[in-house]
Amino acid sequence: MTAASPVASLSRTSREVQLLAVPDGLSRPAHFRVVRTPLPQPVEGEMLVRNRYFLVFPGLSTVVGGGLEGAPFPGAQPGDPLCGTVVAEVVAASGAEGPRVGEPVSHWRGRREYAVVPVGAGTTLGDTPPDPVAPRTRPAP
């Protein structure tokens, strides 16, 4: 990224939610901490996104409980940021391929303010992100 990129005008730090301790049973606020980390810097083939909406899902308890064999994501260890689906806005992107600055995307880099995501790992959401509380319709049988 060049000095004229949007990244230059951002804070030099980002916040993320990390697992402090693996819970024995239900997780509580004491099992997590919010920390400041250096703002991630994208390189060629990556995009910097600002996370806007986080999905709270029942499987998160499996992640913070050490994971589950065969799960599509690893279990979190103390010090790890939490993963999960996020709706984000592209802040900086390199190359002609992939989402453009300002576009909404979804990714799995989870509970953090900013994330660097490989261009191919984000899903472009189009002009209007899905409404998370809208009724879902099922296809006809």
Side-chain angles (χ1 to χ4, degrees):
M1 299 290 137
T2 66
S5 76
V7 176
S9 64
L10 298 175
S11 168
R12 296 192 183 277
T13 62
S14 176
R15 294 172 293 174
E16 67 182 33
V17 177
Q18 294 179 348
L19 182 64
L20 185 58
V22 176
D24 183 18
L26 292 176
S27 57
R28 307 230 181 274
H31 294 112
F32 307 97
R33 65 180 170 199
V34 177
V35 299
R36 287 216 169 264
T37 60
L39 182 71
Q41 298 296 312
V43 296
E44 189 65 32
E46 296 178 331
M47 58 185 168
L48 177 67
V49 298
R50 182 169 186 198
N51 296 325
R52 299 295 189 172
Y53 304 99
F54 305 93
L55 174 66
V56 177
F57 63 107
L60 186 59
S61 61
T62 301
V63 173
V64 299
L68 182 64
E69 189 173 330
F73 40 79
Q77 301 301 314
D80 288 348
L82 299 182
C83 69
T85 302
V86 175
V87 172
E89 176 185 353
V90 177
V91 175
S94 60
E97 300 293 319
R100 305 251 187 262
V101 171
E103 284 189 292
V105 296
S106 178
H107 65 85
W108 271 84
R109 299 275 303 153
R111 310 295 193 280
R112 59 189 86 209
E113 186 175 14
Y114 291 93
V116 168
V117 179
V119 169
T123 302
T124 304
L125 298 175
D127 292 335
T128 307
D131 182 344
V133 296
R136 307 219 188 257
T137 57
R138 292 186 175 196

